[in-house]
Amino acid sequence: MTDAAERDRSGSIRTDAGAGGSAARSIARRLEELPRDRAPIPDDATFALCLTHDVDRPYKGFRSFYRALQERPTYHLKTALSPSNPYWQFEEIMALEEELGVRSAFYFLNEQHLLADRPVGDWFAAANWIEHLGRYDVAAPEMAEIVRELDAGGWEVGLHGSYHTADDRERLREEKAVLEDALGRPIAGGRQHHLRLSVPETWHHHRAIGLRYDSSLGSGTECGFTAGYRPLRPFGDDFRVFPVTIMEQALPDPDARYDDARDRCEEVLLEAAANDAVMTALWHPRYFNEREFPGYRTLYRWLVERAQELGAWIGSPEQLYAKLEGASETDASTPSRR
């Protein structure tokens, strides 16, 4: 395994977004004897597509200066001085999905403060400062307002567990409580930041704090069904794992290679339809800014419209969870004919 997928002394497999498909397959092999969700896809659909967005950086802010060192310095410096915020894409996503007749999940992050909460040794890593410059407060008035607006409109609000919480149940519990206070009701599930995951310990933490599903299993470098076609039920109860099938960063750049990116999405969609599968797509909100990330918004629209053409059920993981759980309860209450 690479550094992105390592086995610790206890036998746990740890992964993050840099892990390739081999890491996901390693986990899948370890869990292949565990139950999978076999409930029918809702509404007699050919397959299910869950739409998700990890809210990592809703404010560009000081990161404009960092981006200016990499490319287009004039543009990025202008965004640092402008009152507009190119990463705040909530209204644009809501309008697009409203037009398409679908709903998705938004996973909100509540990162630790680098100086107040992290060890002194972390202060001296440049990468930690770059991460910290994008930190936001989900309880701040503007963020809490958009959280409630999404919920009122039928979008799912979920937890994006911060970088260190894959192995920290109490911090994860605290982050969940803060988000639920902002939302005003319990949340169903979410995904770990950078897809950081310790299997099966992180799922134990999620279940213990009252989450009903997780969507952290997957790769940030490869697309496909490396963890199988159906959600995992790692504890044999109602807790589910919805693996990530497509992350936008794992696709060819649609600005330079749009046809290649679309063709890869098409391959995954057709494989899902052929196997009665449940798939999950992850598009970070900032990628809907066509000025900075050209092609990604267009590709997302194409993905949803193509899935609709193929007869897919489309919605958020929370919506799918409710339908699968309802079908499972119906099956369990139906007397056997044998």
Side-chain angles (χ1 to χ4, degrees):
M1 295 183 191
T2 66
D3 291 341
E6 298 179 341
R7 191 184 299 272
D8 67 15
R9 294 179 181 178
S10 69
S12 298
I13 297 177
R14 300 173 183 270
T15 69
D16 61 31
S22 60
R25 284 189 288 272
S26 296
I27 294 175
R29 283 195 295 271
R30 183 179 181 192
L31 302 177
E32 63 185 5
E33 300 302 321
L34 296 180
R36 296 234 174 212
D37 200 311
R38 302 299 180 187
I41 300 296
D43 306 330
D44 293 324
T46 53
F47 66 99
L49 169 59
C50 292
L51 302 173
T52 66
H53 311 288
D54 290 354
V55 184
D56 294 345
R57 298 291 174 257
Y59 300 102
K60 189 177 181 184
F62 288 107
R63 293 173 68 85
S64 296
F65 297 104
Y66 172 70
R67 293 291 302 277
L69 296 175
Q70 299 175 312
E71 61 175 9
R72 295 187 292 169
T74 301
Y75 166 75
H76 289 296
L77 290 175
K78 283 182 178 179
T79 65
L81 302 173
S82 170
S84 65
N85 179 21
Y87 286 4
W88 188 275
Q89 294 289 312
F90 298 107
E91 288 83 0
E92 287 77 4
I93 297 172
M94 293 166 69
L96 174 60
E97 293 182 348
E98 178 71 33
E99 179 185 344
L100 295 171
V102 299
R103 291 294 187 270
S104 61
F106 288 78
Y107 300 137
F108 285 87
L109 185 63
N110 184 11
E111 291 174 293
Q112 293 177 311
H113 193 286
L114 180 60
L115 299 179
D117 300 319
R118 299 304 305 160
V120 173
D122 287 359
W123 299 1
F124 301 100
N128 290 338
W129 280 102
I130 293 169
E131 285 289 306
H132 183 71
L133 289 175
R135 181 178 178 272
Y136 63 94
D137 180 5
V138 74
E142 186 177 38
M143 292 304 304
E145 181 179 354
I146 197 63
V147 161
R148 291 190 292 268
E149 183 178 344
L150 286 163
D151 180 61
W155 281 268
E156 178 186 353
V157 172
L159 179 66
H160 198 29
S162 65
Y163 190 81
H164 300 280
T165 58
D167 300 305
D168 188 343
R169 180 180 298 183
E170 293 313 308
R171 172 66 193 187
L172 195 65
R173 190 192 306 275
E174 178 183 338
E175 292 176 5
K176 175 175 178 282
V178 170
L179 179 58
E180 289 177 336
D181 284 346
L183 177 62
R185 70 175 184 85
I187 59 175
R191 175 181 296 126
Q192 292 298 122
H193 193 31
H194 289 288
L195 304 184
R196 283 175 59 86
L197 183 66
S198 292
V199 176
E201 284 75 14
T202 305
W203 294 335
H204 279 291
H205 299 330
H206 285 194
R207 186 176 63 159
I209 68 171
L211 296 178
R212 300 195 295 275
Y213 79 83
D214 175 52
S215 187
S216 305
L217 177 58
S219 171
T221 62
E222 297 182 33
C223 298
F225 293 93
T226 52
Y229 293 116
R230 281 306 188 101
L232 284 161
R233 303 181 75 164
F235 310 116
D237 57 12
D238 59 358
F239 183 87
R240 288 172 171 82
V241 173
F242 296 103
V244 175
T245 319
I246 295 178
M247 185 194 297
E248 87 284 280
Q249 296 175 0
L251 293 166
D253 182 355
D255 182 34
R257 300 169 55 195
Y258 181 82
D259 289 348
D260 291 338
R262 183 197 58 204
D263 290 347
R264 183 65 187 116
C265 290
E266 172 83 352
E267 291 171 0
V268 175
L269 291 170
L270 292 176
E271 185 176 356
N275 291 278
D276 197 37
V278 172
M279 63 177 286
T280 300
L282 163 55
W283 245 253
H284 294 83
R286 65 183 181 275
Y287 278 82
F288 286 84
N289 182 313
E290 280 288 310
R291 177 70 185 272
E292 296 201 17
F293 304 98
Y296 285 96
R297 182 202 294 250
T298 301
L299 184 61
Y300 183 81
R301 173 188 284 275
W302 180 90
L303 177 75
V304 174
E305 291 179 335
R306 181 62 177 136
Q308 290 173 329
E309 291 175 358
L310 292 171
W313 178 95
I314 304 173
S316 72
E318 182 180 27
Q319 291 171 326
L320 182 60
Y321 178 98
K323 287 182 174 290
L324 294 177
E325 187 64 16
S328 297
E329 292 174 356
T330 299
D331 290 344
S333 65
T334 302
S336 172
R337 294 182 181 276
R338 293 190 295 174

